[in-house]
Amino acid sequence: MTREVKMKRVLITGAAGHLGNVMRSRLNDWATEIRLSDIAKVDDLKANEQYVHCDLGDADAVMSLVEGCDAIVHFGGVSTENTFDSILHGNIKGSYNLYEAARKNGVKRIFFASSNHVIGFHERETLLDAHSPMRPDSVYGLSKGFGELLAQYYYDKFGIESALVRIGSCFPKPRNRRMLSTWLSEGDLTDLIKKVYAADRLGCTVIYGVSDNPSTWWDNRYAKFIGWTPKDSSAVFENEAYLQEEQTDPNDPAVRFQGGLFVSAGHYED
Amino acid sequence: MTREVKMKRVLITGAAGHLGNVMRSRLNDWATEIRLSDIAKVDDLKANEQYVHCDLGDADAVMSLVEGCDAIVHFGGVSTENTFDSILHGNIKGSYNLYEAARKNGVKRIFFASSNHVIGFHERETLLDAHSPMRPDSVYGLSKGFGELLAQYYYDKFGIESALVRIGSCFPKPRNRRMLSTWLSEGDLTDLIKKVYAADRLGCTVIYGVSDNPSTWWDNRYAKFIGWTPKDSSAVFENEAYLQEEQTDPNDPAVRFQGGLFVSAGHYED
Amino acid sequence: MTREVKMKRVLITGAAGHLGNVMRSRLNDWATEIRLSDIAKVDDLKANEQYVHCDLGDADAVMSLVEGCDAIVHFGGVSTENTFDSILHGNIKGSYNLYEAARKNGVKRIFFASSNHVIGFHERETLLDAHSPMRPDSVYGLSKGFGELLAQYYYDKFGIESALVRIGSCFPKPRNRRMLSTWLSEGDLTDLIKKVYAADRLGCTVIYGVSDNPSTWWDNRYAKFIGWTPKDSSAVFENEAYLQEEQTDPNDPAVRFQGGLFVSAGHYED
Amino acid sequence: MTREVKMKRVLITGAAGHLGNVMRSRLNDWATEIRLSDIAKVDDLKANEQYVHCDLGDADAVMSLVEGCDAIVHFGGVSTENTFDSILHGNIKGSYNLYEAARKNGVKRIFFASSNHVIGFHERETLLDAHSPMRPDSVYGLSKGFGELLAQYYYDKFGIESALVRIGSCFPKPRNRRMLSTWLSEGDLTDLIKKVYAADRLGCTVIYGVSDNPSTWWDNRYAKFIGWTPKDSSAVFENEAYLQEEQTDPNDPAVRFQGGLFVSAGHYED
Amino acid sequence: MTREVKMKRVLITGAAGHLGNVMRSRLNDWATEIRLSDIAKVDDLKANEQYVHCDLGDADAVMSLVEGCDAIVHFGGVSTENTFDSILHGNIKGSYNLYEAARKNGVKRIFFASSNHVIGFHERETLLDAHSPMRPDSVYGLSKGFGELLAQYYYDKFGIESALVRIGSCFPKPRNRRMLSTWLSEGDLTDLIKKVYAADRLGCTVIYGVSDNPSTWWDNRYAKFIGWTPKDSSAVFENEAYLQEEQTDPNDPAVRFQGGLFVSAGHYED
Amino acid sequence: MTREVKMKRVLITGAAGHLGNVMRSRLNDWATEIRLSDIAKVDDLKANEQYVHCDLGDADAVMSLVEGCDAIVHFGGVSTENTFDSILHGNIKGSYNLYEAARKNGVKRIFFASSNHVIGFHERETLLDAHSPMRPDSVYGLSKGFGELLAQYYYDKFGIESALVRIGSCFPKPRNRRMLSTWLSEGDLTDLIKKVYAADRLGCTVIYGVSDNPSTWWDNRYAKFIGWTPKDSSAVFENEAYLQEEQTDPNDPAVRFQGGLFVSAGHYED
């Protein structure tokens, strides 16, 4: 259902980051007003955009940030492997602060950008769905797993609905052979965000954020009720020379397991 | 397999009702002779049509009705919530009488119009398939559940094959937002009836009667062996104003559960 | 939990039948007052027993019967294969009348004597549990299947809790080799009824009514939360001469399928 | 991923047989050099083809045959029901000799032509996937089941990857109504072989070798990570007269079970 | 296997808390040396006991604490609902610090006291096993869920084995009716700890910490390989007056859901 | 059901081997006549015993051997890892010859001694049941897997029933720590053989041959209908010094995987 209810005030966290920035422009005419938050500066504001500097680890700041919003698209926090302290601050405290603020401000539905690194330690030949057990491949993946449990808790106890979108690899095109399987086009992500808010009911639902690629490790059957159908495919990139030439070894942990280099990496050290 | 074996004599019960009437015209050239039954009068008979007045709750009448038919498309009985007595008569006695008549007359395969109200008390975010437990949302749904068990019994004991088609919402277009998920086009239903009779083997198979809509709660994978592929989609109606404007609340039982208003309704009182 | 809450007024339907009569005496000191109903006369009433003649197919009579009871142990209706009309009357109308009366009189929990004939068309080597699909082996089994769906409906819509007890073979001792697997001792059944009413929560739960026999086809794991543990076993009867001498053929439908003779019997004819 | 890595030296066994011969020409430009083996003579060699006469039951001969190959497409052995001795020789000893030769020669990935007759005793209405239990319908099917276990053993113990392709019916067009469900086009098979070798990781994976037919009994979801998407469909043949005219009986074992005539045939006698 | 390998140096965290204190005395002769840590003072040290004051949220302190230990029994941190900040400090940072210290000090196996509050939002009639999804009922439960994911990560990436013991209610006797289902005797817990360290292999395994009670919501089948068999049962307490007299309502969230009062409680406020 | 039907003529193959010899004496009074076969000589025949020298790889010899028997207890063939040729001869040809002889001689039920090495490549923490996929750990295990498929084929096509008993470790006592989990007492095996022949129906059923040990990797729930309940336990051996002293490493393939040393062994070389 592409009910494009125009939203009143949408909050996009992490608006200075890669995904936040891309979605900021794609979602511009979806809402009357868009509030953009980040710890970094967001430039070139459009007429309906508002920038709020916010450290997600600061509970009071987040409480103010969320006030008056009817939708939250949460890309904020640390978006790759990092020290435990920084991830604890941005992702664990950050997501808790966000849900608490949503609860106190009456926000009813959250788009939560989770990650495929929540399930990165499954082998490629294991087809996953929304009920598969989490097996994080990194402290980053662990923090996203925490976020998913947090969302489930706020749904069960307070009725706040969440889309837990395990984003694959959202770039203009796949950067390596692994991304032929995990690629999510920007257009499909845009469409997914809109569907999540157009759905009559969302519950607390895990969705794999992946386009309609020829090869896939993830089955979105349990999210079909939302009505999202990705339209793009990595097939158009298959013959790119840099993908044809990349050498891979099936026994390399970065190939064997879904999380790729996050799996083969050791522990992040300062 | 679209083997359009032209049937010799097809019985359509409930021919004066909405679905019976629609299918009567769409199936006209599928059979040499079409016998139409109802307790209400059926008008404007075509050359190969025959009308038989029949109360399905009358065992003798049904026995005569079925005689000489090689196919039964059963839309008859009460088609929405009603008093227990009327549903007992038309649907419980009615379906029993029909299967007994089929057994004694040697009819080997029945298209049984069941209903999504057999599973109406599942939540929307629960993806159902043919093996999901029944959870009727009404006395009507309960009677259809009885019909499905009856068909299973006649299959296991006497080898009579049935298609148990849990029809969603078969109208020219979706009447409300819920039907964006449950809509079955008349063309897809027509095609399904023909496939059921063209299949080399049917067994006793639950099929969700739903078109290829963007949002769905039902998975027909266990019926794929029949070869039916719905061709229509509710996507073409998504932008209709009356659907865009409808207000829904995810916590409304009529939205939370698949059965819609049948769930939120209380018990039917005379 | 053997919390033997002494009940105030318990209704036992079918009190003149085999099981009703046995349980009537075993449950006598469980309740301050026991109301016994049947279409047949119940004799030799004890001080706390009351007999009410009642045809379960008579809605008004059942409404009166249920008034003032805080528990219902439902053995009434037709208890073996019979004509459709008699089963329709006693079991289908009968169970509907009972649940409607419970709803209107505020009875919150019902012990519903279902039957293994609800699942009689499964093969013996198929281990069943509470989630296995129903495959009735008779019109009798079909009516019990209807009763189970009815109970589910009254639970989902009105919150009335039910124990759907698929009774195996409750006799003083197994009457044939099949019953070595299906035997339920009278003591275990008594204990089960008490547990059903002592449980803090029951939901709408399928329980296989079977003792702790060496051979079993049924797994009660999903009912473990009720806390019932059968204590008796058919092992003590295994060496009885009449069981040793009985000849069986593994390909006989009455041996191959769980329902025994109900499976191999044809349709019941008047 | 259609990474058409041009192979250096590919071995095709059974090259004089039906499938081997068809694939020989379709795969010609896929490899720098193609080694063709069979006990029968292979004629009309192209420039990059080499013929090696080889009895697969001869361990030493197979060891030499495999030397220097970087891929094996194994169609060799007995390809239909036959005496146990001939199947033991060609398929059981043959496949063992092949895997041993692969192990000793360092071949890392094998395309193993298994067969739907490994699962032929499942009913048509049972949807199978890669995890369904094997139920061979013939000594031929049994030998292919042995081959699949053998491949699993060589994967678990020695890391040799295999595609276990349960080929349906690979002919220019379906020869009978059953093949409307089991048909695999030659083009889709060609594409599958290439995908198996282009995949970054294969594991030991069961794949049903079947085109995108309207009716299917097999679900390839667990092989989606390989990225094969069949493009052809038997739908284009549905209206052929010889298929419309074929008479079938749903209770015929050759219709009831997936293996078709292999099921209804008795034991093969010399 | 009760291989009572006498451990060399065991660390018990949370030794001043209820469980830590009880296990401290029961495990005394299991190890040559027992190191007890807590932020509170631990008194009355026995000859082989050593007390180390330690705030688990302090990474350096934990690193020192773990040094030289060959086993860790982790009861430390906040053991009931509390403010997010205190749980973040003691349980989230605390468990991270512990696993990091284990990794750097070469500790290979950890007994992690998780909690039933990790799955508290499942209904009582849902039988859970080790593969059931987490549904925390509190911020406390959420932190234990984080701990389980953390342990899985350290197992998948670094091979550290963990027993994730979802402790029910470990007290001398059940304190209320709910605990008749969740009770874990001190003796059974003692035995479980020893089994976890005696097992030849542990992996990363979820175990429900519950005695052999008549009523249970949890199935430990996937942990059977460890060889733990609880010996005690809450059945001996069933007739205690305070349990008989407790009034419960099946629709009370604290009765409907497994987490009890944690479910019905609102959010913890300072 | 311990219906100890005294058999008329039982064939025990492999009677000179370890298990055959043990069972020969334990089953002596179970049958009027016991035919013992082996390629090695069997001595000290009792009055009702008959020795037939037989190479199982010789089809004609096996045909004669089976003639006139009403039960077959098949321990014959190669019972541990060996060359492919010897296993092909004794186990693959041998089991085929046996089933063919059973078919032609009208034997209806076979006790087939399979092995845990059919599933040896599963990890210890994977609980297996009768439906788990086979993962042989050796050529020996592979041949037993072939035997299981063969038995399934003879059941599906010809109705011959088999017990496929995956024997753990049947010795007077466990020889190492692994056998604490896999131990099968001789008494329990004796009882199992009798139950298999006393059962009214057997089908083609996988049974794990293991006593009631504290630690187990195998769940026999799908074989419960046979009524076998092992009575012995390895618990009585747990404190034996040689078991306490054995050193194990959880990452040793022989500990990680169920097959033990068969897994860690390389390929058998002559």
Side-chain angles (χ1 to χ4, degrees), chain C residues 224-270:
Chain C
K224 274 186 178 170
F225 71 99
I226 291 169
W228 177 57
T229 311
K231 294 177 184 63
D232 296 314
S233 165
S234 66
V236 298
F237 304 109
E238 285 182 330
N239 295 320
E240 301 261 344
Y242 69 98
L243 294 174
Q244 292 293 337
E245 289 157 11
E246 185 186 336
Q247 298 300 315
T248 59
D249 170 1
N251 296 315
D252 177 357
V255 174
R256 182 174 166 201
F257 296 102
Q258 299 190 3
L261 293 172
F262 281 61
V263 166
S264 54
H267 203 72
Y268 190 96
E269 312 283 353
D270 300 298

Coordinates of all heavy atoms in Angstrom, one line a residue, chain C residues 224-270:
Chain C
K224 N 2.2 -28.9 29.3 CA 2.9 -29.1 30.6 C 2.7 -28.0 31.6 O 2.9 -28.2 32.8 CB 4.4 -29.2 30.3 CG 4.9 -30.6 29.9 CD 6.4 -30.6 29.8 CE 7.0 -32.0 29.4 NZ 8.4 -31.9 29.1
F225 N 2.4 -26.8 31.1 CA 2.2 -25.7 32.0 C 1.1 -25.9 33.0 O 1.0 -25.3 34.0 CB 2.1 -24.4 31.2 CG 0.7 -24.2 30.6 CD1 -0.3 -23.5 31.2 CD2 0.5 -24.8 29.3 CE1 -1.5 -23.3 30.5 CE2 -0.7 -24.7 28.7 CZ -1.7 -23.9 29.3
I226 N 0.2 -26.9 32.7 CA -0.9 -27.1 33.6 C -0.5 -27.9 34.8 O -1.1 -27.9 35.8 CB -2.1 -27.8 32.8 CG1 -2.6 -26.8 31.8 CG2 -3.1 -28.4 33.7 CD1 -3.5 -27.4 30.7
G227 N 0.6 -28.7 34.6 CA 1.1 -29.4 35.8 C 0.5 -30.8 36.0 O 0.7 -31.4 37.0
W228 N -0.1 -31.3 34.9 CA -0.7 -32.7 35.1 C 0.4 -33.7 34.7 O 1.0 -33.6 33.6 CB -1.9 -32.8 34.1 CG -2.5 -34.2 34.1 CD1 -3.0 -34.9 35.2 CD2 -2.7 -35.1 33.0 NE1 -3.5 -36.1 34.8 CE2 -3.3 -36.3 33.4 CE3 -2.4 -34.9 31.6 CZ2 -3.6 -37.3 32.6 CZ3 -2.7 -36.0 30.8 CH2 -3.3 -37.1 31.2
T229 N 0.5 -34.7 35.6 CA 1.5 -35.8 35.3 C 0.7 -37.1 35.5 O 0.5 -37.5 36.7 CB 2.7 -35.7 36.2 OG1 3.2 -34.4 36.2 CG2 3.8 -36.7 35.8
P230 N 0.4 -37.8 34.4 CA -0.3 -39.1 34.7 C 0.6 -40.1 35.4 O 1.8 -40.1 35.3 CB -0.6 -39.6 33.2 CG 0.3 -38.8 32.3 CD 0.6 -37.5 33.0
K231 N -0.1 -40.8 36.3 CA 0.7 -41.7 37.2 C 0.6 -43.2 36.8 O 1.4 -44.0 37.2 CB 0.2 -41.5 38.6 CG 0.5 -40.2 39.2 CD -0.1 -40.0 40.6 CE 0.2 -38.6 41.1 NZ -0.5 -37.5 40.2
D232 N -0.5 -43.5 36.0 CA -0.7 -44.9 35.7 C -0.1 -45.3 34.4 O 0.2 -44.4 33.6 CB -2.2 -45.2 35.7 CG -2.8 -45.0 37.1 OD1 -2.2 -45.5 38.1 OD2 -3.8 -44.3 37.3
S233 N 0.0 -46.6 34.1 CA 0.6 -47.1 32.9 C -0.1 -48.4 32.5 O -0.4 -49.3 33.3 CB 2.1 -47.3 33.1 OG 2.6 -48.1 32.0
S234 N -0.3 -48.6 31.2 CA -0.8 -49.8 30.7 C 0.2 -51.0 30.8 O -0.2 -52.1 30.5 CB -1.3 -49.6 29.3 OG -0.2 -49.4 28.4
A235 N 1.4 -50.7 31.2 CA 2.4 -51.7 31.3 C 2.0 -52.9 32.1 O 2.3 -54.0 31.9 CB 3.7 -51.2 31.8
V236 N 1.2 -52.6 33.1 CA 0.8 -53.7 34.1 C -0.2 -54.7 33.4 O -0.4 -55.7 34.0 CB 0.1 -53.1 35.3 CG1 1.1 -52.2 36.1 CG2 -1.1 -52.3 35.0
F237 N -0.7 -54.3 32.3 CA -1.7 -55.2 31.6 C -1.0 -56.0 30.4 O -1.7 -56.8 29.8 CB -2.9 -54.4 31.1 CG -3.6 -53.6 32.1 CD1 -3.5 -52.2 32.2 CD2 -4.3 -54.2 33.1 CE1 -4.1 -51.5 33.1 CE2 -4.9 -53.5 34.1 CZ -4.8 -52.1 34.1
E238 N 0.2 -55.6 30.1 CA 0.8 -56.2 28.8 C 0.7 -57.7 28.7 O 0.6 -58.2 27.6 CB 2.2 -55.7 28.7 CG 2.3 -54.2 28.3 CD 3.7 -53.8 28.1 OE1 4.6 -54.3 28.7 OE2 4.0 -52.9 27.3
N239 N 0.9 -58.3 29.8 CA 1.0 -59.8 29.8 C -0.4 -60.5 29.9 O -0.4 -61.7 29.9 CB 1.9 -60.3 30.8 CG 3.3 -59.8 30.5 OD1 3.8 -59.8 29.4 ND2 4.1 -59.4 31.5
E240 N -1.4 -59.8 29.9 CA -2.8 -60.4 30.0 C -2.9 -61.3 28.7 O -2.6 -60.9 27.6 CB -3.9 -59.3 30.0 CG -3.8 -58.3 31.1 CD -4.7 -58.7 32.3 OE1 -5.7 -59.5 32.1 OE2 -4.5 -58.2 33.4
A241 N -3.5 -62.4 29.0 CA -3.6 -63.4 27.9 C -4.3 -62.9 26.7 O -4.0 -63.1 25.5 CB -4.2 -64.7 28.4
Y242 N -5.5 -62.2 26.9 CA -6.3 -61.8 25.8 C -5.6 -60.7 24.9 O -5.9 -60.6 23.8 CB -7.7 -61.2 26.3 CG -7.6 -59.9 27.1 CD1 -7.9 -58.7 26.4 CD2 -7.3 -59.9 28.4 CE1 -7.8 -57.5 27.1 CE2 -7.2 -58.7 29.1 CZ -7.5 -57.5 28.5 OH -7.4 -56.3 29.2
L243 N -4.6 -60.1 25.5 CA -3.8 -59.1 24.7 C -2.7 -59.8 24.0 O -2.4 -59.4 22.8 CB -3.3 -58.0 25.6 CG -4.3 -57.1 26.3 CD1 -3.7 -56.1 27.3 CD2 -5.1 -56.3 25.2
Q244 N -2.1 -60.8 24.6 CA -1.1 -61.6 23.9 C -1.6 -62.3 22.7 O -0.9 -62.5 21.7 CB -0.4 -62.6 24.9 CG 0.4 -61.9 26.0 CD 1.6 -61.1 25.5 OE1 2.1 -61.5 24.5 NE2 2.1 -60.1 26.2
E245 N -2.8 -62.8 22.9 CA -3.4 -63.6 21.8 C -4.0 -62.9 20.7 O -4.2 -63.5 19.6 CB -4.4 -64.6 22.5 CG -3.8 -65.6 23.4 CD -4.8 -66.1 24.4 OE1 -6.0 -65.9 24.2 OE2 -4.3 -66.9 25.3
E246 N -4.3 -61.7 20.9 CA -4.9 -60.9 19.8 C -4.0 -60.8 18.6 O -2.8 -60.5 18.7 CB -5.2 -59.5 20.3 CG -6.0 -58.6 19.3 CD -6.2 -57.2 19.7 OE1 -6.1 -56.9 21.0 OE2 -6.3 -56.3 18.9
Q247 N -4.6 -61.1 17.4 CA -3.8 -61.1 16.2 C -4.0 -59.7 15.5 O -5.1 -59.2 15.4 CB -4.3 -62.2 15.2 CG -4.0 -63.6 15.7 CD -2.6 -63.8 16.1 OE1 -1.7 -63.5 15.2 NE2 -2.3 -64.4 17.2
T248 N -2.9 -59.1 15.1 CA -3.1 -57.8 14.3 C -2.2 -57.9 13.1 O -1.2 -58.6 13.0 CB -2.6 -56.6 15.2 OG1 -1.2 -56.9 15.6 CG2 -3.4 -56.5 16.4
D249 N -2.7 -57.1 12.1 CA -2.0 -57.0 10.8 C -1.6 -55.5 10.6 O -2.4 -54.6 10.6 CB -2.9 -57.4 9.7 CG -2.4 -57.1 8.3 OD1 -1.3 -56.6 8.2 OD2 -3.1 -57.4 7.4
P250 N -0.3 -55.2 10.5 CA 0.1 -53.8 10.4 C -0.5 -53.0 9.2 O -0.5 -51.8 9.3 CB 1.7 -53.9 10.2 CG 2.0 -55.3 9.9 CD 0.9 -56.1 10.4
N251 N -1.0 -53.7 8.2 CA -1.6 -53.1 7.1 C -3.1 -52.9 7.2 O -3.7 -52.3 6.3 CB -1.2 -53.8 5.8 CG 0.3 -53.8 5.6 OD1 0.9 -52.7 5.7 ND2 0.8 -54.9 5.2
D252 N -3.7 -53.5 8.2 CA -5.1 -53.3 8.5 C -5.3 -51.8 8.8 O -4.6 -51.2 9.7 CB -5.5 -54.1 9.7 CG -6.9 -53.9 10.1 OD1 -7.6 -53.1 9.6 OD2 -7.3 -54.6 11.1
P253 N -6.2 -51.1 8.1 CA -6.4 -49.7 8.4 C -6.7 -49.4 9.9 O -6.3 -48.4 10.5 CB -7.6 -49.3 7.6 CG -7.6 -50.2 6.4 CD -7.0 -51.5 7.0
A254 N -7.3 -50.4 10.6 CA -7.6 -50.2 12.0 C -6.3 -50.3 12.9 O -6.3 -49.9 14.0 CB -8.6 -51.2 12.5
V255 N -5.2 -50.8 12.3 CA -3.9 -50.8 12.9 C -3.0 -49.7 12.4 O -2.3 -49.0 13.2 CB -3.2 -52.2 12.8 CG1 -1.8 -52.1 13.3 CG2 -4.0 -53.3 13.4
R256 N -3.1 -49.5 11.1 CA -2.2 -48.4 10.5 C -2.6 -47.0 11.1 O -1.7 -46.2 11.3 CB -2.4 -48.5 9.0 CG -1.6 -47.5 8.3 CD -1.7 -47.7 6.8 NE -1.1 -46.5 6.1 CZ -1.3 -46.1 4.9 NH1 -2.2 -46.9 4.1 NH2 -0.8 -45.1 4.3
F257 N -3.8 -46.7 11.2 CA -4.3 -45.4 11.6 C -4.7 -45.4 13.1 O -5.1 -46.4 13.6 CB -5.4 -44.9 10.7 CG -5.0 -44.8 9.3 CD1 -5.4 -45.7 8.4 CD2 -4.3 -43.7 8.9 CE1 -5.0 -45.6 7.0 CE2 -3.9 -43.5 7.5 CZ -4.3 -44.5 6.6
Q258 N -4.5 -44.2 13.7 CA -4.7 -44.1 15.1 C -6.1 -44.3 15.6 O -6.4 -44.7 16.7 CB -4.2 -42.7 15.6 CG -2.7 -42.5 15.3 CD -2.1 -41.3 16.0 OE1 -2.8 -40.6 16.7 NE2 -0.8 -41.0 15.7
G259 N -7.1 -44.1 14.7 CA -8.5 -44.2 15.1 C -9.0 -45.6 15.3 O -10.2 -45.8 15.7
G260 N -8.2 -46.6 14.9 CA -8.7 -47.9 15.1 C -9.9 -48.3 14.2 O -10.0 -47.9 13.1
L261 N -10.8 -48.9 14.8 CA -12.0 -49.4 14.1 C -12.8 -48.3 13.5 O -13.6 -48.5 12.6 CB -12.9 -50.3 15.0 CG -12.2 -51.6 15.5 CD1 -13.0 -52.3 16.5 CD2 -12.0 -52.5 14.2
F262 N -12.8 -47.1 14.1 CA -13.5 -46.0 13.5 C -13.0 -45.7 12.1 O -13.7 -45.2 11.3 CB -13.3 -44.7 14.4 CG -14.2 -44.7 15.6 CD1 -14.1 -45.6 16.6 CD2 -15.2 -43.7 15.8 CE1 -14.9 -45.6 17.7 CE2 -16.0 -43.6 16.9 CZ -15.9 -44.6 17.8
V263 N -11.7 -45.9 11.9 CA -11.1 -45.7 10.6 C -11.6 -46.8 9.6 O -12.0 -46.5 8.4 CB -9.6 -45.7 10.6 CG1 -9.0 -45.8 9.3 CG2 -9.1 -44.5 11.4
S264 N -11.6 -48.0 10.0 CA -11.9 -49.1 9.1 C -13.4 -49.2 8.8 O -13.8 -49.8 7.8 CB -11.3 -50.4 9.6 OG -11.7 -50.7 10.9
A265 N -14.2 -48.6 9.7 CA -15.6 -48.7 9.5 C -16.0 -47.8 8.3 O -15.4 -46.8 8.0 CB -16.3 -48.2 10.8
G266 N -17.0 -48.2 7.6 CA -17.6 -47.4 6.6 C -18.4 -46.3 7.2 O -18.4 -46.0 8.4
H267 N -19.2 -45.7 6.4 CA -20.1 -44.6 6.8 C -21.2 -45.2 7.6 O -21.8 -46.3 7.3 CB -20.7 -43.8 5.7 CG -21.1 -42.5 6.0 ND1 -20.2 -41.4 6.3 CD2 -22.4 -41.9 6.2 CE1 -20.9 -40.3 6.6 NE2 -22.2 -40.6 6.5
Y268 N -21.6 -44.6 8.7 CA -22.7 -45.1 9.6 C -24.0 -45.0 8.8 O -24.4 -43.9 8.3 CB -22.7 -44.3 10.8 CG -23.6 -44.8 11.9 CD1 -23.1 -45.6 12.9 CD2 -25.0 -44.6 11.9 CE1 -24.0 -46.2 13.9 CE2 -25.8 -45.1 12.9 CZ -25.3 -45.9 13.9 OH -26.1 -46.4 14.9
E269 N -24.7 -46.0 8.7 CA -26.0 -46.0 8.0 C -27.1 -46.3 9.1 O -26.9 -47.2 9.9 CB -26.1 -47.0 6.9 CG -24.9 -47.0 6.0 CD -24.9 -45.9 5.0 OE1 -25.9 -45.1 4.9 OE2 -23.9 -45.7 4.3
D270 N -28.2 -45.7 8.9 CA -29.3 -46.0 9.9 C -29.8 -47.4 9.8 O -29.8 -48.0 8.7 CB -30.5 -45.0 9.5 CG -30.1 -43.6 9.6 OD1 -29.8 -43.2 10.7 OD2 -30.2 -42.9 8.6

